[in-house]
Amino acid sequence: MNTIKIKKKFSDKVKNGFPLLTLEMLEHQDQLGNEGDIITAVDERNQFIAKGYQGKQNKGVGWLITWDPEEEVDHRIFVNRLRAAIGRRKKWFGKNDTTAFRLFNGEGDGIGGLTIDYFDGHYLFTWYSEGIYLLREEILDAFEELVSYKSIYEKKRFDTKGQYVADDDFVRGERPSFPLIVKENGAHFAIHLNDGAMVGVFLDQRDVRRAIRDRYAEGKNVLNTFSYTGAFSVFASLGGAVKTTSVDLANRSVAKTIEQFSMNGIDYEAQDILVRDVFRYFNYAVKNDIKFDLVVMDPPSFARSKKHTFSAAKDYKNLMKQAIDITEDKGVIVASTNAASLTMKKFQRFIDEAFKEKGLKYEILETYSLPEDFNVSPSFPEGDYLKVLFVKRK
Ligand code: SAH
């Protein structure tokens, strides 16, 4: 057990439940030990504040897990946190039309640095630091006490010398054959738990996909940029889009998008699936006077291509201006970002400025943040990283 003194300036914040430890909070940085160490945070008078573990993740050096001096960071606390998370998701287990959801959402469920996703009886653990990964066996054992599963897979999202290491992600249970086929609001998705860093669908966009299908797609010509496996295109098509165009830089996106269309009985040959740099595609569309009724834009926080580097926190306004150029009058842009450093306020300002600089009016029709199963801690609202605006060009 490692004791860490919190600077006076930060001790109230930590006492009030802020779970993330950062270097600037520490009175003595040399009090840090090793990844995976259990730590006790104390105030300037050495009074107990909280316990947690050391794990380097983005700006943080560790997560606090309990503010109860009687509680230990051990098997029991993992059982308790997991049980509470499962209890909060009761209704999700009983759903027939949605069989994929987030079961455990990091600090939102009381343990920062770990997420668990459910895919029709199969579970995906994602470890966000070496520190939490070192507690892995204890956490898996706690999970096993509570849940009967078909299989467990895992992803490591911490620096293993830069790149994602495509080793075997299988952990426990019986290996299924892939793809798994899960349901989301009645639609189908193919899921690959053992095929690189991403599994095929981002569950946090579930409500946005449904809105597109149920209220925005009918009779529309739809452009899906940064389309990955085409999940938005699938929902647009199911909602009656006349045609979808999916644009992604990655070659693999074509086969993956065809797979998702096929899962849903959609004729993929009637859709456009393009391997292109989105920024170049925008220029091409402007030159050729191609316009869309609905443009979906969900870029990564950072993107690099031959000609461009893109950072959502800096460049979203320009991206928005390009999208406006190829959106029909009265058309809708679904502007999305998961960049934690881009706040909702700043995001809205970018959109406002983009329209003003184009001399156009707009209306925000709907706003989305993380869905219900992505539990967010009230002490750590910045954990709600997703921002989606449905913007109508007027
Ligand atoms: N919107 C998707 C997820 C996007 S993931 C969904 O909801 O499923 C980000 C994607 O952007 C990746 O597939 C990546 O290949 C793609 N990408 C990154 N830079 C790009 C660029 N310059 N042009 C086109 N696609 C790009």
Side-chain angles (χ1 to χ4, degrees):
M1 176 89 71
N2 212 352
T3 300
I4 286 188
K5 194 179 272 196
I6 305 293
K7 282 183 188 157
K8 190 155 189 278
K9 191 172 136 195
F10 294 103
S11 64
D12 278 343
K13 186 173 176 174
V14 179
K15 282 175 192 167
N16 286 327
F18 189 78
L20 183 65
L21 275 185
T22 59
L23 268 186
E24 62 166 4
M25 293 179 176
L26 312 185
E27 187 70 61
H28 311 287
Q29 297 194 359
D30 58 5
Q31 283 183 332
L32 275 181
N34 300 311
E35 287 285 301
D37 283 356
I38 305 304
I39 50 185
T40 300
V42 298
D43 69 8
E44 65 283 359
R45 291 177 298 123
N46 292 315
Q47 298 291 308
F48 172 88
I49 307 179
K51 289 178 203 168
Y53 72 90
Q54 186 174 329
K56 187 174 155 36
Q57 181 185 338
N58 303 328
K59 277 182 271 172
V61 293
W63 288 101
L64 298 170
I65 297 179
T66 177
W67 283 254
D68 176 355
E70 306 295 319
E71 214 171 17
E72 298 302 329
V73 177
D74 60 8
H75 180 79
R76 171 121 27 109
I77 204 169
F78 296 138
V79 170
N80 288 341
R81 293 291 183 271
L82 288 167
R83 185 186 287 123
I86 292 164
R88 283 192 275 274
R89 307 311 193 280
K90 262 213 187 89
K91 71 168 193 203
W92 290 90
F93 283 98
K95 287 190 184 204
N96 280 325
D97 62 347
T98 298
T99 58
F101 60 89
R102 176 145 297 184
L103 178 67
F104 194 92
N105 195 38
E107 76 288 348
D109 283 299
I111 307 174
L114 166 68
T115 62
I116 307 173
D117 293 321
Y118 172 94
F119 298 100
D120 194 27
H122 303 269
Y123 291 84
L124 178 67
F125 282 60
T126 304
W127 313 99
Y128 286 86
S129 70
E130 197 184 338
I132 189 84
Y133 192 70
L134 290 165
L135 301 169
R136 168 183 185 268
E137 288 298 320
E138 272 178 276
I139 294 172
L140 287 169
D141 289 345
F143 181 78
E144 203 148 65
E145 267 178 38
L146 299 168
V147 178
S148 57
Y149 54 83
K150 295 177 187 162
S151 74
I152 299 177
Y153 280 75
E154 70 181 1
K155 305 284 174 201
K156 290 176 228 167
R157 284 286 199 87
F158 52 92
D159 193 17
T160 36
K161 305 277 170 299
Q163 281 290 303
Y164 176 80
V165 190
D167 52 1
D168 192 357
D169 295 331
F170 175 74
V171 180
R172 293 183 187 184
E174 269 199 52
R175 286 171 192 268
S177 54
F178 292 115
L180 305 176
I181 300 170
V182 301
K183 280 200 260 179
E184 182 183 283
N185 292 310
H188 295 96
F189 281 127
I191 300 294
H192 297 264
L193 298 181
N194 206 13
D195 179 28
M198 301 189 287
V199 303
V201 62
F202 290 97
L203 299 178
D204 54 4
Q205 297 278 13
R206 180 192 309 114
D207 294 347
V208 178
R209 284 189 284 269
R210 180 166 60 185
I212 287 172
R213 181 189 64 188
D214 294 354
R215 294 194 291 283
Y216 293 92
E218 175 105 64
K220 298 294 196 279
N221 187 14
V222 178
L223 175 66
N224 181 11
T225 60
F226 308 95
S227 56
Y228 179 41
T229 61
F232 287 122
S233 310
V234 166
F235 269 69
S237 190
L238 292 174
V242 173
K243 187 182 150 190
T244 65
T245 301
S246 305
V247 181
D248 197 289
L249 194 58
N251 284 314
R252 57 157 204 261
S253 67
V254 176
K256 288 187 173 294
T257 303
I258 289 175
E259 181 181 44
Q260 302 297 14
F261 276 132
S262 304
M263 289 283 143
N264 292 282
I266 299 161
D267 176 12
Y268 64 84
E269 288 182 342
Q271 316 296 326
D272 275 344
I273 307 169
L274 309 176
V275 177
R276 298 276 171 82
D277 184 334
V278 164
F279 302 99
R280 294 183 66 172
Y281 182 79
F282 279 138
N283 293 336
Y284 161 85
V286 168
K287 255 189 219 135
N288 293 279
D289 208 22
I290 300 170
K291 288 198 170 186
F292 297 88
D293 306 305
L294 182 66
V295 175
V296 182
M297 211 160 53
D298 175 38
S301 302
F302 297 97
R304 197 166 303 203
S305 62
K306 276 183 199 135
K307 286 230 170 108
H308 273 95
T309 48
F310 170 84
S311 146
K314 283 209 248 82
D315 305 321
Y316 211 108
K317 180 170 89 178
N318 283 332
L319 185 68
M320 193 67 194
K321 284 167 81 172
Q322 288 185 285
I324 292 168
D325 285 339
I326 62 162
T327 303
E328 299 276 10
D329 242 7
K330 311 262 185 314
V332 172
I333 299 171
V334 180
S336 168
T337 181
N338 55 16
S341 56
L342 182 48
T343 61
M344 184 56 113
K345 219 172 144 190
K346 189 170 164 201
F347 190 41
Q348 281 174 336
R349 200 174 65 229
F350 273 172
I351 284 159
D352 187 65
E353 288 170 359
F355 276 95
K356 284 210 173 106
E357 289 173 26
K358 287 282 167 197
L360 292 167
K361 290 208 159 34
Y362 69 98
E363 184 188 347
I364 299 206
L365 304 175
E366 294 194 54
T367 305
Y368 287 84
S369 54
L370 283 178
E372 198 193 325
D373 49 324
F374 284 64
N375 216 50
V376 174
S377 159
S379 313
F380 196 70
E382 47 271 68
D384 192 352
Y385 54 83
L386 184 69
K387 290 144 288 240
V388 184
L389 298 170
F390 283 63
V391 193
K392 183 172 184 169
R393 179 184 155 154
K394 290 179 73 168

